[in-house]
Amino acid sequence: MKNSLHYFKISQDNPEKQLDLEYFLIEREPKMKEYIKSIKNIKEILITIKKLKEGKEDKNVIEKYYKKLFDNFDSYSNCSELGCFVNACDTTRDLIKEDFQSFKRITDFFISKRILDDKAPENWIQAIIDTNASRKKGKLGENKLISILKKDKYKLVETWSDFEKSKRCMTSFSKNVFYNDEVAKRFGINLKTKNQGKMLDLIIKNGKNIYILEAKHLNTGGGEQNKQIDELIKILELRETKENVFYISFLDGTYSNKLIGEDIQKKSKKLFTQRSQIEKYLKSKGAKNYWVNTTGFIHLFMDLG
């Protein structure tokens, strides 16, 4: 078994691909009929409200249609023009659903500032869904690693009983079974992450050894991304007295190449500092945790046997 620095260097020498199919969300939306039905319904009500207001109809009648629109402004409505307009008004559907009067005001702005029609083309609904695809990628990295481990004969388990009797297995952290306090108690560890309430992603068992992993997928830099890198570094630096417990900080996506693979020197102060922190730990005496990308992860578990 090689040391932590070995797998870091493998990761450096084998950068992530520009396109990783594991993160593609390119299938047609399976609930497209529901989206179309909801959006057409919203458009019809909006057109009715506009005509009633232009005709100076009774306010109580118009109010009923505002209420109807409010009640029908469901999760599918995020892909309607009104749903997108809500975002342009510095709020969200979830927030506006708690405030009927503000919803009415935004509806009036929409009617006065936008063109109304009764069309709901599937192609632009799909385009809006595709634009928001990045919000659905939370579990894809975890699923990618599970798929890799399955090929190496690791069993995916869901109970402590199955975990304890298996020699090679894996499981995801969960609120009801594999939650932080229970994991810490069972393994006799501290599990003191920076954010105490946040669960990590995977627990992998190989014989007597336990590997606790956090996975992140980044393609761009920035403030939020820096926070995620810092979180991975804190996990890398965690120390446990149990000799059979190891932590793995996993980062894929093209930003991984920038962070560990390119000659950054001091072009980016933040990148340089983060890389230095990672290398400082990996070169330290007694370093037992790992920082890997996809290839580094594969080699690590190949060598574990």
Side-chain angles (χ1 to χ4, degrees), residues 4-258:
S4 303
L5 194 57
H6 171 78
Y7 298 101
F8 180 72
K9 287 181 176 177
I10 287 177
S11 299
Q12 286 182 308
D13 294 339
N14 295 272
E16 294 293 322
K17 297 176 182 177
Q18 181 69 31
L19 300 177
D20 188 338
L21 297 182
E22 297 288 346
Y23 293 94
F24 279 30
L25 295 167
I26 56 177
E27 297 304 318
R28 178 181 177 271
E29 171 56 49
K31 294 184 177 180
M32 184 57 72
K33 287 183 180 179
E34 288 87 340
Y35 276 100
I36 292 172
K37 182 180 178 181
S38 174
I39 292 168
K40 280 187 173 181
N41 188 34
I42 286 169
K43 282 172 169 278
E44 288 171 5
I45 300 170
L46 282 167
I47 291 169
T48 302
I49 292 172
K50 183 179 181 180
K51 287 180 177 178
L52 289 172
K53 292 185 77 172
E54 288 173 346
K56 302 189 186 304
E57 294 291 337
D58 184 271
K59 288 183 178 179
N60 290 327
V61 174
I62 298 173
E63 187 74 4
K64 287 180 181 178
Y65 280 95
Y66 276 118
K67 273 283 187 187
K68 186 178 180 182
L69 182 63
F70 187 70
D71 292 340
N72 283 271
F73 198 58
D74 56 21
S75 59
Y76 296 112
S77 63
N78 274 338
C79 291
S80 67
E81 290 106 317
L82 179 60
C84 295
F85 188 79
V86 164
N87 295 329
C89 295
D90 194 32
T91 187
T92 65
R93 187 191 69 86
D94 290 343
L95 289 173
I96 209 68
K97 281 293 287 181
E98 297 174 3
D99 186 348
F100 176 62
Q101 293 304 319
S102 293
F103 176 80
K104 278 179 61 180
R105 194 173 178 202
I106 286 176
T107 299
D108 288 339
F109 275 122
F110 179 79
I111 290 171
S112 66
K113 299 289 185 181
R114 296 292 185 264
I115 297 170
L116 291 182
D117 61 45
D118 60 356
K119 298 179 179 65
E122 179 180 329
N123 59 339
W124 65 249
I125 296 173
Q126 185 66 59
I128 294 170
I129 293 170
D130 291 345
T131 300
N132 296 319
S134 60
R135 298 177 187 174
K136 301 177 183 178
K137 291 185 178 179
K139 285 281 184 182
L140 294 184
E142 190 178 317
N143 293 340
K144 169 184 172 177
L145 298 178
I146 288 172
S147 177
I148 290 170
L149 289 169
K150 279 184 176 179
K151 292 175 184 175
D152 206 17
K153 308 301 182 186
Y154 281 81
K155 181 183 177 184
L156 181 62
V157 300
E158 296 181 355
T159 66
W160 278 109
S161 175
D162 287 340
F163 185 88
E164 287 165 356
K165 67 187 180 187
S166 300
K167 290 184 178 180
R168 289 156 62 95
C169 65
M170 56 188 159
T171 192
S172 298
F173 275 79
S174 59
K175 291 181 180 179
N176 298 321
V177 182
F178 294 93
Y179 53 92
N180 284 1
D181 289 345
E182 185 65 18
V183 170
K185 184 177 79 173
R186 296 255 185 174
F187 297 150
I189 59 175
N190 292 316
L191 194 58
K192 288 188 175 179
T193 58
K194 184 179 179 181
N195 184 345
Q196 288 296 298
K198 183 185 182 303
M199 291 184 289
L200 302 187
D201 289 323
L202 289 176
I203 307 168
I204 307 163
K205 180 181 178 184
N206 182 290
K208 293 181 179 180
N209 290 339
I210 303 295
Y211 299 85
I212 299 174
L213 180 145
E214 174 72 357
K216 295 192 182 296
H217 174 76
L218 298 174
N219 283 322
T220 59
E224 182 58 36
Q225 288 80 358
N226 282 332
K227 287 180 184 177
Q228 294 191 59
I229 297 296
D230 288 341
E231 186 181 325
L232 285 176
I233 291 172
K234 293 296 182 188
I235 292 166
L236 179 71
E237 294 173 341
L238 288 175
R239 296 185 183 276
E240 301 288 357
T241 55
K242 292 279 186 177
E243 292 185 1
N244 68 319
V245 176
F246 307 83
Y247 289 95
I248 301 174
S249 292
F250 175 87
L251 177 66
D252 66 0
T254 54
Y255 193 69
S256 172
N257 304 341
K258 229 175 220 185

